[in-house]
Amino acid sequence: MDGFSSHDAPLARADDDQEAGRGFRVPEPAARPGQAPDFSSVDVGEAGDLSLPPIDAPHTAFQDHARGLLRVLDDDSNARGAWARFCQPDDLLRGYRAMIRTRAFDERMVRAQRQGKTSFYVQCLGEEAIAVGAAVATENTDMHFPTYRQQGILFARDINPIRMINQIYSNEHDELGGHQLPVLYSFKDAGFFTISGNLATQWPQAVGWAMGSALRNDQHVAVGWIGDGATAEGDWHQGNLFASVYRAPVLLCVVNNQWAISTPNSFAGADKATFAERMATYGLPALRVDGNDYLAVLAACRFAVERAREGYGATGIEFVTFRQGAHSTSDDPGKYRPKDMSALWPLGDPVARLRQHLLCTDLLTAEQMDTIAAEAEEEMRQAEQQAASHGILSEGRGASSDKMFYQVYNDMPNWLKEQQQEAALTEDRFDR
């Protein structure tokens, strides 16, 4: 031993030490409640500036794309640059409707939670363009491995919202039989893998699914999803390594919405390097994308899907966005960040930006957009009423308790059969 002790390492440091990078460090957000929001570190760049590399370009050709910000829409809502070729009018109309329906669904479900119809809900306010754009860029035969904030995939895939609400309410028509917590959807028919409440597990699962697809040569692509906070989990690094080494056909999507519940993304190292740059260190081509620009999201995902299907492997994508609302209905963001942050976010609101582009290009009129919004609101109102008619768990009309024993094992083990019999006997005694 060379005489070093814990007393030689300062646990706190003065301001000049912080600048010098000395001592133990706990990351701090740029602003706390009561302070002015600070987005000076967000360099939005210029729309259309980043080049479109060849589909077979090596990962070293993406250095500027991992540091910069891929934008297609400029400040006047015009599409700029070579990446715009991936965005067709039908895709924009489909995406806009899906984003509007997603936002209407979120509003209805937050209201339902406040009414006591469900214990929990997670909205994706301000992030709708990301999941919707990725869904439009992929096929139903591809498989998304989402977190709880990618419900936009389901609206882009036209899943009936009644089915979603049945799962949230864990009622008699819940297709999962009450096995899952609210918002942890599962829709195999829409290429939507069961959401896990354990953070980051879906990342290596997406890579493994993609490796299986490559071995079968079936041309299907996986899409892995993760939030900026969960990149601090070991699963993220493991997935990146396997995706790169085995050239798996997978899109690796980090949604950098600046906050992991109450901690800023600096807890996951975002102030040291972009998440795209960190994925690039694994030998992955990596793109940093304006997540509030639907056209940029669609273009980046289309490019990555084309690379994957052609056998050029995985692409890492960091979507830069901002979580406008609370982390969940159990959260109060006013406790840890300035209340007016979302209004000052330099990349704006994704729905408003796409709306303005559609107006500028005469793809939709303001009256048509108002009709779409009104229809979405009415659709979600009726869907909630229909789902509620099938029962609400808190009112004693949940999925049958007998269902807890099924869809867990392919062949039910004896010890579970014994528990099922014991539960039946217990219910019988209560009934008498």
Side-chain angles (χ1 to χ4, degrees), residues 107-224:
E107 291 173 357
R108 179 63 55 176
M109 287 297 96
V110 169
R111 191 179 312 165
Q113 191 277 334
R114 298 308 189 213
Q115 294 170 344
K117 295 179 178 179
T118 182
S119 60
F120 186 71
Y121 187 73
V122 177
Q123 62 178 346
C124 61
L125 186 64
E127 303 176 29
E128 295 92 344
I130 298 171
V132 170
V136 172
T138 51
E139 304 293 336
N140 277 23
T141 50
D142 299 322
M143 184 63 72
H144 289 260
F145 289 74
T147 75
Y148 36 62
R149 223 179 293 277
Q150 276 79 57
Q151 54 265 56
I153 295 170
L154 298 173
F155 288 101
R157 297 281 167 84
D158 287 324
I159 287 294
N160 190 327
I162 297 174
R163 297 175 64 191
M164 298 171 65
I165 303 173
N166 286 338
Q167 291 188 17
I168 293 172
Y169 287 176
S170 296
N171 62 24
E172 296 168 349
H173 285 216
D174 176 6
E175 297 170 42
L176 302 182
H179 285 83
Q180 281 281 53
L181 294 170
V183 310
L184 301 186
Y185 314 104
S186 179
F187 288 99
K188 186 177 181 180
D189 54 328
F192 192 95
F193 199 83
T194 307
I195 298 174
S196 173
N198 298 317
L199 296 182
T201 57
Q202 69 279 2
W203 197 257
Q205 289 170 357
V207 176
W209 191 95
M211 290 167 63
S213 176
L215 288 170
R216 291 189 301 271
N217 196 30
D218 59 17
Q219 298 297 301
H220 299 328
V221 171
V223 187

Side-chain angles (χ1 to χ4, degrees), residues 364-385:
L364 284 176
T365 65
E367 292 76 15
Q368 288 172 319
M369 293 184 186
D370 291 342
T371 298
I372 290 171
E375 289 175 347
E377 184 176 350
E378 178 62 16
E379 178 192 14
M380 301 313 157
R381 185 188 69 82
Q382 293 186 16
E384 192 282 322
Q385 287 185 347

